Structures are given as C-alpha cells and as structure tokens.
Amino acid sequence: MVGPVAFKDVHKEEDDRICPPEEYADIISTLPSFESSGLRVRLYQGVWLLDHVVPGIMALQRRHKPQLGDVVLASPPKSGTTWLKALSFAVMGRAAYPPSDADHPLRRLNPHQCVPFMDNLFSAGQEAKLDALPSPRLLHTHAHHSMLPPSIADCKIVFVCREPKDMLVSMWHFVRSSGSSDFPFSALFELACEGKNPYGPIWDHLLGYWSVSRATPERVLFLKYEEMLVDPVSTVRELARFLGVPFTSVEEAAGWPADIADMCSIDALRGLQANKTGNTGLFFKCSHQSFFRKGVAGDWVDHMTPEMARRIDAIVEEKLRGSGLTFTS
Ligand code: PAP
C-alpha cells in the first residue's frame, strides 16, 4: 500500500494507553519549571513545554526512525495545523483518494485522525504505531526546528505559522474549550510576552524554521496562515510542487487544486459529521469541533486592548528584526 494512509485507518481501535518513557525522569527533574493555571511547563533546550511533552520530545530525539519520503508538518500550536494536515493529506494522497471521492478519508475522519501528532505519540510510548504507516508518511510535530533529530534532516518539512496575536487568541479559546474555563486571557498573554507559552518562545519557533527555509527552500516550505486564507488554491499548488507531486495538466483541467481547497475549507470540514462529533488527543481530550472555530485573520481585536497589541507587536518585531520575517496585522 502507498502512503499516506490515514492513521485511524491503520490503527482502528481507540487506544488511550499512556506509558510515558521513564528513562529521562532524572534529567527532567532538574529542568526549570513553573505552574500556571494548573498546567506545569518545563524548559527543555530553550523551549517551554507542557510537562507531559518533555519525555516525548526526548524520546523523539533519540528513537525516531525516519523513512525515505517522510514529510514532516510543523507548526506552533493554533497556527493552522488542522488545515495544513488536511491540505497535505489531500495533495499527497490524491492518486488513491481523488478529491471527488465520497469516501475520502477527510470526509469521514478529523484531519488529526489522518496525520499523527508525533510529540504525543512519543510522550505516550505509542510511537511504534508510526512503523505501521505505509510510506510516504505524513507526520506532525509542534517541536522547534532546533529540537528535531538530525535524522529528520533528510525529510521535507512544511511549516505553517500565524500572526502571533491571533495565534494566542486561538490558543486561549482552545484551552478554555478543553476544560480550563477559568484561564484568563491575560495570563496566557503575559506568558507569551515572556516567551513562556507552551512551545514558546514564539519568535524562536518562527526563526528556527524561517532560517532553514531561507537557506534550503527545497527542504523547508514556510507558509503563513494569513497568506493561505487569501489564496488557498495557490497554496494547494505550492504544496504539490514542493512535495514533488505537481498537478498534471489533466488534474488542472479537472479542477483538482480548487476541489482540494474546497474540500479542506473550514466551512466544508466543520459541516462534516466526523468533525461535529467525537474527540481526539491522548493527554487531553479535545472535541473535533474545537479545531474549527472562526478561522479568520484579525480576531485579536476582540480580545486585546490596543496597548496589549502594541506591547506584543513590539516584542515580536524586535525579536524578528533583521531576519526578513514580518507579520501584518
Ligand atoms: P492545533 O495546533 O491544536 O492542531 P490549529 O489547527 O493549528 O490547532 O489551530 C486551530 C485554528 O485553525 C482555529 O483558529 P481560530 O481559533 O482563530 O478560529 C481554527 O478555526 C483554524 N482552522 C481550522 N481548520 C481550518 C481551515 N480548514 N481553514 C482555516 N482555518 C482553520
């Protein structure tokens, strides 16, 4: 069988077993940590990670077995991961699953059930499940580029990021919808300004993938959520070209790039039974619905004062200065 095949089609049974790797406990206990609104965060290799993720990233670094043709999707949380998973799966899998296919995996599964989240699988000791996926595999991580195992250096990476204020607003809504209803936005905002939000600092996350994408554009495709919103069909074509499977003239004539963009649009995905019901996640159960909120640019205006916006804009601008990476908001 040729990949990518939906993770859930290979591993059909629900399996919530969590057997974290224990061999790193001594190192982990020495790492700086703090607790905020009931969540413990630890600093590992310059990145603030939720406590349960730390052994997973350590295991990923030591045990991951890349395969020829693997494609790694990477993103800071709440920056367009779900969308990128859907688009990449649809683009890479279109020979087996044409976009018109009524039984397309993306019409019966949540995108997170199609493309596995490596950080959580390694954290739960379930990474052996990745071995059963046919090649080429589509895999996802929230890890910074600096944390990836050197063996991933041979894989193509697609990174998506988002204007940081909108990313934070999205993260806050997500945390609240996952049960932390008393988590004030101001708490997350302060953490982010200090670089201490989960998988922060945001700017290091961005700069890591940005600089590798500039140096080796054939290895790392750097996408911005806001640009994808403006022209999703061009993004679909760009993804296909980057992944080495550009659309043929026959596929173009059949309208496949637009069909894929339509199938993966937030409205189309949100309306599916698979995304209206059910949940996903090993450590926190997140409803499938919670991954499809507004899906727009500029939602931060309803959550931040102009002063807060100026403050975080100034921090991000200062950190990104000279890199060539900018965001308009
Ligand atoms: P994750 O990192 O936990 O997987 P991720 O998918 O990156 O989450 O972020 C969810 C955001 O992407 C939501 O943004 P919002 O809270 O500002 O609304 C969600 O609405 C948006 N999103 C999900 N799917 C799509 C899509 N198909 N098109 C555009 N935006 C989308």
Side-chain angles (χ1 to χ4, degrees):
M1 206 192 280
V2 174
V5 172
F7 185 80
K8 180 78 179 163
D9 282 343
V10 175
H11 299 288
K12 293 190 194 316
E13 299 297 319
E14 280 303 318
D15 181 359
D16 291 340
R17 275 173 309 149
I18 293 182
C19 308
E22 286 171 4
E23 58 269 43
Y24 317 121
D26 286 349
I27 310 176
I28 292 172
S29 66
T30 66
L31 300 175
S33 75
F34 69 90
E35 199 172 304
S36 173
S37 303
L39 293 176
R40 180 152 293 279
V41 191
R42 274 186 209 273
L43 185 66
Y44 176 59
Q45 296 185 340
V47 180
W48 290 98
L49 298 171
L50 288 176
D51 211 19
H52 70 267
V53 178
V54 182
I57 296 290
M58 295 175 86
L60 169 70
Q61 292 176 326
R62 288 160 178 78
R63 296 195 209 143
H64 179 57
K65 290 176 272 172
Q67 290 177 11
L68 198 67
D70 279 354
V71 172
V72 175
L73 307 180
S75 58
K78 315 322 291 182
S79 296
T81 317
T82 313
W83 194 12
L84 181 63
K85 284 186 176 186
L87 291 170
S88 307
F89 186 89
V91 165
M92 273 178 73
R94 68 188 191 272
Y97 314 114
S100 59
D101 187 348
D103 192 42
H104 196 291
L106 288 167
R107 294 201 168 90
R108 51 184 176 77
L109 298 171
N110 177 269
H112 294 278
Q113 295 175 308
C114 294
V115 181
F117 179 35
M118 290 194 288
D119 313 13
N120 269 4
L121 279 178
F122 278 89
S123 296
Q126 292 196 20
E127 72 273 12
K129 290 188 173 163
L130 297 174
D131 299 342
L133 297 177
S135 187
R137 303 181 301 180
L138 251 179
L139 310 168
H140 170 253
T141 181
H142 282 317
H144 287 214
H145 189 269
S146 58
M147 310 180 109
L148 297 179
S151 49
I152 279 184
D154 296 331
C155 305
K156 288 201 182 245
I157 297 175
V158 183
F159 178 75
V160 65
C161 65
R162 188 174 189 182
E163 195 284 315
K165 298 192 295 305
D166 278 345
M167 178 202 130
L168 286 176
V169 166
S170 183
M171 188 179 289
W172 179 69
H173 279 288
F174 187 71
V175 172
R176 280 168 57 92
S177 72
S178 309
S180 301
S181 52
D182 55 351
F183 186 43
F185 180 73
S186 57
L188 179 62
F189 179 81
E190 285 303 324
L191 287 180
C193 287
E194 293 170 28
K196 292 181 170 176
N197 57 291
Y199 287 97
I202 298 171
W203 40 89
D204 287 347
H205 211 157
L206 300 169
L207 286 172
Y209 287 95
W210 175 249
S211 57
V212 189
S213 76
R214 300 259 286 195
T216 49
E218 69 288 353
R219 264 207 58 233
V220 178
L221 177 64
F222 192 97
L223 297 174
K224 289 183 181 169
Y225 179 84
E226 293 74 20
E227 292 176 359
M228 292 166 63
L229 282 178
V230 172
D231 191 351
V233 182
S234 291
T235 303
V236 169
R237 290 199 182 95
E238 194 178 6
L239 263 176
R241 264 194 311 270
F242 175 76
L243 295 172
V245 284
F247 287 96
T248 63
S249 49
V250 174
E251 289 174 327
E252 282 287 351
W256 279 23
D259 289 349
I260 288 176
D262 287 348
M263 176 173 66
C264 299
S265 71
I266 189 163
D267 289 338
L269 293 178
R270 187 195 273 129
L272 296 169
Q273 197 56 25
N275 294 322
K276 287 185 193 165
T277 56
N279 55 45
T280 200
L282 284 165
F283 292 87
F284 305 103
K285 284 289 169 205
C286 313
S287 73
H288 289 161
Q289 214 173 11
S290 66
F291 291 98
F292 308 96
R293 197 180 62 91
K294 283 192 173 176
V296 298
D299 193 34
W300 62 266
V301 290
D302 291 332
H303 298 81
M304 291 187 198
T305 63
E307 190 190 332
M308 290 166 89
R310 272 194 297 276
R311 181 172 158 212
I312 192 149
D313 280 349
I315 294 171
V316 172
E317 200 185 308
E318 196 259 320
K319 299 286 184 185
L320 301 187
R321 189 168 298 144
S323 68
L325 176 61
T326 54
F327 291 94
T328 44
S329 52

